[in-house]
Amino acid sequence: MCGRFAVTTDPALLAQKIKAIDEVTTTAGAAAPNYNVAPTTSIATVVTRHSEPDDEPTRRVRSMRWGLVPPWVKPGPDGAPQAKGPMLINARADKITTSPAFRSSAKSKRCLIPMDGYYEWRVNDPKAGQKSRKTPFYMYRSDGEPLFMAGLWSVWKSADDAPPLLSCTIITTDAPEELGEIHDRMPLVVPERDWDRWLDPDAPADEDLLARTPDVHGICMREVSMLVNNVRNNGPQLLDPVESQPEQMKLL
């Protein structure tokens, strides 16, 4: 799964780097670095959309709430989406085209979710169950470049004339190699060569990408402090390696 990540790249700089239209800064202002992104946080995503039905779609950086809200969710008394069941922060790659919660988005509302890296927790004693101590690790690219994860997004409105709520979920897949020793699931990394095909609103979801074993070449991981366990902690110190531990490694 993916329940926490870090992102420090300004959306305007990201848009410039990937040749996209910046829709975040123009609507919400510059985003501050966030070293402990948690569900319900507004995050920058990458989409490709039409301005007019028959024009060439363009790549855009767009702000969305992390935790997908399907269009059919009913509003509560306060006008917000009714929270029933688990929050849809993740979607299994092998279920997105069949799950009622995700299949509509999988058809034409696919996105990329950029991040510096993500956190995962290793269960140290599986026999202890929920009482087992868990050790946090941080996964990131060795070259310092962002990771771009596959995602889905949706538009929700409390009423026809209400402003839209854009929300998203991160697609996960089986974690290979050493990453699987930390947790059996991981976000689905999309290589740059597959961005256009994944984002294309006029094409179906890339089944090969969804089924493919992710390429983790160049992804590093290191044990980090328990500070990340509390969402109120937020700063670059969360990325610091825990001293005197040998488990920092690079996946080759």
Side-chain angles (χ1 to χ4, degrees):
M1 64 174 295
C2 178
R4 220 68 78 67
F5 63 90
V7 58
T8 61
T9 304
D10 181 85
L13 295 177
L14 173 66
Q16 183 179 17
K17 184 174 183 176
I18 66 172
K19 297 179 175 60
I21 299 170
D22 173 22
E23 295 184 348
V24 175
T25 307
T26 55
T27 58
N34 191 337
Y35 298 89
N36 203 355
V37 179
T40 73
T41 301
S42 292
I43 60 173
T45 67
V46 183
V47 300
T48 297
R49 306 305 293 169
H50 292 278
S51 295
E52 300 293 339
D54 296 324
D55 70 359
E56 188 72 18
T58 53
R59 189 181 292 175
R60 301 135 188 258
V61 176
R62 182 175 286 182
S63 181
M64 299 187 193
R65 193 196 84 157
W66 183 22
L68 188 134
V69 181
W72 38 261
V73 170
K74 295 182 179 179
D78 59 354
Q82 287 187 350
K84 292 184 178 180
M87 189 177 298
L88 302 178
I89 63 170
N90 292 160
R92 289 182 60 98
D94 56 345
K95 302 292 186 182
I96 66 167
T97 59
T98 57
S99 168
F102 303 124
R103 61 192 179 197
S104 177
S105 293
K107 290 180 181 178
S108 61
K109 289 184 174 64
R110 300 179 298 274
C111 63
L112 296 171
I113 298 174
M115 60 182 70
D116 292 21
Y118 68 97
Y119 302 99
E120 196 50 81
W121 283 258
R122 183 186 65 192
V123 176
N124 295 327
D125 182 9
K127 295 181 180 179
Q130 294 295 324
K131 296 182 179 180
S132 173
R133 178 178 176 273
K134 295 181 180 181
T135 301
F137 285 80
Y138 180 63
M139 287 71 167
Y140 60 100
R141 277 181 55 158
S142 59
D143 59 7
E145 292 295 311
L147 291 159
F148 288 82
M149 306 307 191
L152 305 173
W153 64 283
S154 182
V155 180
W156 181 87
K157 290 185 175 184
S158 58
D160 291 341
D161 57 350
L165 170 66
L166 305 185
S167 61
C168 63
T169 186
I170 297 174
I171 297 175
T172 65
T173 188
D174 292 333
E177 303 178 24
E178 287 90 340
L179 289 180
E181 297 176 9
I182 305 302
H183 195 281
D184 62 349
R185 305 290 296 176
M186 66 171 287
L188 178 60
V189 182
V190 182
E192 185 172 357
R193 64 178 181 274
D194 293 323
W195 289 359
D196 287 338
R197 184 177 177 187
W198 175 252
L199 295 174
D200 187 349
D202 303 316
D206 185 345
E207 297 285 354
D208 291 338
L209 174 65
L210 292 170
R212 187 188 311 161
T213 300
D215 181 6
V216 295
H217 177 80
I219 293 183
C220 296
M221 62 182 177
R222 61 171 175 258
E223 183 180 340
V224 292
S225 167
M226 293 285 189
L227 288 172
V228 72
N229 292 2
N230 190 329
V231 297
R232 290 176 292 183
N233 296 326
N234 198 322
Q237 70 275 12
L238 298 184
L239 307 185
D240 292 342
V242 171
E243 294 182 3
S244 67
Q245 64 83 31
E247 296 193 64
Q248 181 175 348
M249 61 191 75
K250 179 176 180 180
L251 306 184
L252 301 176

